[in-house]
Amino acid sequence: MVGEAVDLLIVGAGMGGLTAGARAVRDGLSVVVVDTSTDVGGSARFAGYAWTAPNHEVMDRHNPRGDLALKRALVDRFAEGVSWIRSVGVEVKDAQRILGFGRGHQFDTNHYLDTCRRLVLDGGGRILLATHTERLLTEQDAVVGAELRSSDGARRTVRARATLLATGGFQGDAALRAAHVHPHADRMELRSNPHSRGGGYRLATQVGAATGHADAGFYGHLIPSCVPFTDPADFVDLSLYYSEHALLFNLRNERFVDETLGDHLTAMALLEQPESRGLLIADARVFRDWIVGSYVDGAVAVDKFALANKRGGRAGLAEDLDELACLPEEWGYRGDSIRDGVKRFNERVSAGLATAPGRALDPLALDEPPYYVIETVPAITFPFHGVRIDDQARVLAENGEPLTGLLAAGSDTGGLWHRAYAGGIASALVFGLTAADTAAAPARHP
């Protein structure tokens, strides 16, 4: 079996892994990056923004149950992360508001990922693609590298002073989703690369790593039902972000969530409803202002209603409220109950009365016909359950102490988000840089 030794072994060549690799070679470390895919990038290929909460107060308000040390680290180190992107020659746009409460920057993630790959290779590092990490190597309770297997079956060992897990989560594994997200999570469409199947999670737990709460939820968005993704562009084009201004009814013909708090939060709530599907009702105002508009500045605007219709989704147009009663029977909803629900909502709003659930961020009535109807289901990008780390990106054992030699970053980690979300790319960026700095510390101070 072929063997070699490096300062940092990185399992996963996405945003977190490549960021760590590029930073590590700049710090003079020897690096090997391993990925099961045939190319680098992972789900970050489909992103375009790095953003998070602008300060601790906002982070705590929107993510109150997240790990305090990790939240603090993300907010405090985000600006440094953005500066790092600029330092490698990638253009970063000026800060803008995102999701109503966050602040972030648009940048070309593909340019960034390819730049990091070049930096790793130019710095003497190696990138092994189509390579599976069979197991972590341990000696005296310390992780000292891993055993690898390439696509041709050849095996090799890589010994390392530090090993970083950054495989992107376990959203590609239906069994892990059902076990750690929700019993029905195995049915969700995958709004992500297909290669993140829990490799890092399994490797870490096999050596005694602690994991986050099983009910922490997931990041994803609502999409039209009966419309499978056919291209990564669908991850954005078919996401029904406008749900934040629409009304959502479950199969009991009832509203069950304040839709205005965020489409990503509504997606988690819908997963727990009967059959994990519901009806989104929007009026002409919502169509004009939100359905055919850009979710964030700089994004391409897509008529999501027209696209859902074109792709064969359950969608329809009601010329007035009474036509909502004519929903197709096979959809499983009572059209008259949906009509009456919208009517009652509008009456209470017009009378200045509270609605239940409330509408904290968009209290306006939906009283401008026609009405745009799409049946929707949640799709998952990554889970919030994962391997526990401290604010130095060190993987924690069940007793709360760091596992010597083992680091983790990005969507492999748990604890940062708990039924809340404020930026996946930002987390991978910040804790990828943190992991590289942690790995470099022993080399600087032997």
Side-chain angles (χ1 to χ4, degrees), residues 35-48:
D35 201 284
T36 58
S37 179
T38 56
D39 194 10
V40 304
S43 296
R45 289 284 187 194
F46 317 129

Side-chain angles (χ1 to χ4, degrees), residues 128-142:
L128 307 177
L129 299 176
T131 299
H132 180 69
T133 302
E134 298 270 82
R135 66 184 183 93
L136 297 177
L137 303 175
T138 59
E139 291 179 1
Q140 298 178 342
D141 297 325

Side-chain angles (χ1 to χ4, degrees), residues 234-419:
D234 289 343
F235 298 163
V236 172
D237 291 351
L238 288 175
S239 290
L240 305 179
Y241 307 121
Y242 74 88
S243 76
E244 298 169 11
H245 305 276
L247 296 178
L248 180 62
F249 295 85
N250 62 17
L251 277 169
R252 299 190 186 102
N253 312 294
E254 299 169 338
R255 287 183 61 229
F256 55 92
V257 68
D258 181 348
E259 304 91 343
T260 70
L261 296 180
D263 182 75
H264 59 297
L265 301 178
T266 301
M268 280 189 277
L270 183 57
L271 178 63
E272 298 172 348
Q273 297 300 305
E275 298 185 30
S276 302
R277 60 189 177 101
L279 278 187
L280 266 182
I281 311 293
D283 70 349
R285 172 185 67 86
V286 174
F287 177 82
R288 182 175 58 250
D289 294 347
W290 301 104
I291 293 181
V292 295
S294 297
Y295 189 51
V296 294
D297 291 342
V300 176
V302 175
D303 184 337
K304 295 177 183 295
F305 180 78
L307 184 59
N309 254 322
K310 179 181 178 181
R311 297 283 291 274
R314 286 179 167 176
L317 184 68
E319 293 298 334
D320 53 34
L321 270 178
D322 286 337
E323 265 197 41
L324 285 176
C326 302
L327 289 170
E329 186 175 338
E330 63 269 21
W331 289 12
Y333 306 86
R334 287 194 54 176
D336 57 345
S337 295
I338 299 296
R339 174 202 61 199
D340 293 345
V342 177
K343 185 176 181 181
R344 283 194 301 272
F345 172 83
N346 288 341
E347 289 172 347
R348 293 191 68 82
V349 169
S350 297
L353 300 174
T355 62
R359 298 274 291 182
L361 302 180
D362 185 353
L364 298 179
L366 272 69
D367 56 4
E368 184 181 341
Y371 291 89
Y372 297 81
V373 181
I374 297 179
E375 186 181 60
T376 184
V377 295
I380 186 171
T381 304
F382 68 87
F384 295 152
H385 176 80
V387 178
R388 296 302 301 267
I389 61 171
D390 65 9
D391 63 359
Q392 299 305 306
R394 298 178 298 183
V395 173
L396 300 177
E398 293 289 352
N399 63 6
E401 294 297 318
L403 281 168
T404 303
L406 189 60
L407 310 169
S411 299
D412 279 348
T413 67
L416 174 59
W417 311 121
H418 194 118
R419 310 293 295 188

Side-chain angles (χ1 to χ4, degrees), residues 120-158:
V120 170
L121 296 175
D122 289 352
R126 294 203 302 133
I127 298 176
L128 307 177
L129 299 176
T131 299
H132 180 69
T133 302
E134 298 270 82
R135 66 184 183 93
L136 297 177
L137 303 175
T138 59
E139 291 179 1
Q140 298 178 342
D141 297 325
V143 173
V144 295
E147 183 179 309
L148 312 177
R149 174 175 49 82
S150 60
S151 57
D152 62 3
R155 296 177 182 272
R156 73 177 75 203
T157 59
V158 176

